[in-house]
Amino acid sequence: MRHSTRRQFLATGSALAVAAPFILRGLVRPAFADEFVNVLSGGTSGVYYPLGVALAKIYGDKISGVRTQVQATKASVENLNLLQAGKGEIAFALGDSVKFAWEGNAEAGFKSKLDKLRGIAAIYPNYIQIVASQESGIKTLADLKGKALSVGAAKSGTELNARAILAAAGLKYEDLGRVEYLPFGESVELMKNRQLDATLQSAGLGVASIRDLGTSLPIQMVAVPADLTAKIGSPYVATVIPAGTYDGQTEDVPTAAVINFLITHDGVSDEIGYQMTKQLFANLPDMVAAHKAAAEIKPADAAKDMPVPLHPGAERYYKETGLL
């Protein structure tokens, strides 16, 4: 038995001796050298989180040698700052937040230019969804004056959207009765308890928080007129929230939308960047199963209007598939 064990040890040692130069040169990856992919998402009651969970599972299952986790965050602005610091490998973020991050817009929450950011894909649009309780009497943006409104976490992508929409409507936070900086779920709980009149939520259609609210009390969706959206300009586009998206919503509601992006950083290897892009599109049905907002992810549009440079791995995928 001892001789057999000794022969196995010598054979293993010889194999490692032969492989060692190749391991050092990166030609052979040791089995224990897993790469870690942290997916930065958003609040658990939003759309980023379930899609982040699905994406982490796809990457863990489909990319060899990769371990994953999904991290709940305050979404766009926090995600981009975490990427710059190397504390995540891929993140969901709103287009205007990505643009401000690349410019280093301090008012938007970026102390300096986030020059390490790189693009993976344009995904689905976030719809600006302003919902009030019917008993608040709010029917238009002008009616928000003097009312209590939640605008999302401070300096989040949602709050940046809120600032843009209110400014275009000629409103400032000072014009409101009260401003709350709360995540989607907490905003809805306050509305259920009659402690808040309205909430502005920037998310994919059918977001869980507003669906929950619509089943709990009569709601009023507040329109963002197309001419007001045009006044804000790019990256905002005019769209509608289709009738029946939420309980009690019997008509289409005009609003604005902003494209979401998946963003990484320049410290992520070209191969991992390539695989993250490829596996996203190879497994879109799994993303749609996690949340129907993902049904609006279109490969043909994925490399368009990217606010930051494409990651070399993503660029390779788009060239390979004829999308770039």
Side-chain angles (χ1 to χ4, degrees), residues 15-320:
L16 285 173
V18 171
F22 298 97
I23 292 172
L24 290 173
R25 290 202 298 268
L27 302 179
V28 177
R29 279 178 50 180
F32 53 79
D34 285 357
E35 295 205 40
F36 187 66
V37 173
N38 185 23
V39 180
L40 303 170
S41 59
T44 55
S45 58
V47 176
Y48 285 176
Y49 186 77
L51 290 182
V53 170
L55 198 61
K57 186 176 189 309
I58 290 167
Y59 291 165
D61 290 346
K62 305 293 184 180
I63 305 177
S64 178
V66 159
R67 292 180 298 115
T68 63
Q69 76 167 27
V70 61
Q71 180 177 339
T73 67
K74 294 178 182 176
S76 299
V77 176
E78 181 181 10
N79 288 352
L80 297 169
N81 281 311
L82 286 171
L83 284 179
Q84 179 75 9
K87 295 180 179 178
E89 283 63 50
I90 190 165
F92 292 79
L94 276 164
D96 54 345
S97 297
V98 180
K99 178 176 179 286
F100 289 144
W102 189 249
E103 294 169 351
N105 187 317
E107 287 188 11
F110 307 105
K111 294 180 180 178
S112 60
K113 176 184 172 74
L114 303 194
D115 58 354
K116 296 181 180 180
L117 301 182
R118 297 293 182 268
I120 291 291
I123 44 175
Y124 65 92
N126 255 26
Y127 290 72
I128 311 303
Q129 300 171 75
I130 306 172
V131 56
S133 62
Q134 280 191 10
E135 66 183 30
S136 71
I138 298 169
K139 293 184 178 179
T140 68
L141 288 170
D143 294 335
L144 289 170
K145 192 169 185 178
K147 302 292 186 178
L149 172 71
S150 177
V151 294
K155 293 190 175 178
S156 64
T158 292
E159 202 236 325
L160 294 181
N161 293 166
R163 288 176 183 269
I165 296 295
L166 292 175
L171 293 169
K172 301 187 294 292
Y173 283 173
E174 292 80 4
D175 297 322
L176 305 176
R178 189 172 87 251
V179 178
E180 295 287 355
Y181 300 88
L182 297 171
F184 295 173
E186 290 181 35
S187 301
V188 164
E189 288 306 311
L190 284 186
M191 287 186 68
K192 288 181 186 178
N193 294 328
R194 275 61 178 184
Q195 295 175 286
L196 195 63
D197 297 309
T199 176
L200 183 149
Q201 304 196 359
S202 179
L205 289 179
V207 61
S209 51
I210 300 179
R211 282 194 287 111
D212 176 31
L213 183 64
T215 61
S216 303
L217 53 80
I219 62 171
Q220 173 69 49
M221 302 298 293
V222 180
V224 178
D227 59 343
L228 188 146
T229 302
K231 181 179 175 182
I232 303 171
S234 179
Y236 291 78
V237 294
T239 187
V240 298
I241 302 169
T245 299
Y246 301 105
D247 283 2
Q249 183 206 340
T250 57
E251 298 178 350
D252 289 352
V253 177
T255 194
V258 183
I259 294 295
N260 285 290
F261 290 86
L262 283 171
I263 304 294
T264 186
H265 61 79
D266 61 6
V268 170
S269 72
D270 290 3
E271 180 61 22
I272 293 297
Y274 170 80
Q275 289 294 338
M276 289 197 303
T277 312
K278 178 180 179 179
Q279 297 306 331
L280 165 69
F281 294 110
N283 296 278
L284 276 181
D286 292 348
M287 296 290 283
V288 176
H291 198 287
K292 66 180 183 181
E296 297 192 63
I297 300 176
K298 310 295 183 190
D301 297 331
K304 292 180 180 177
D305 301 321
M306 184 67 67
V308 297
L310 271 175
H311 187 278
E315 185 175 359
R316 173 185 150 200
Y317 173 79
Y318 293 127
K319 286 181 176 177
E320 210 173 72

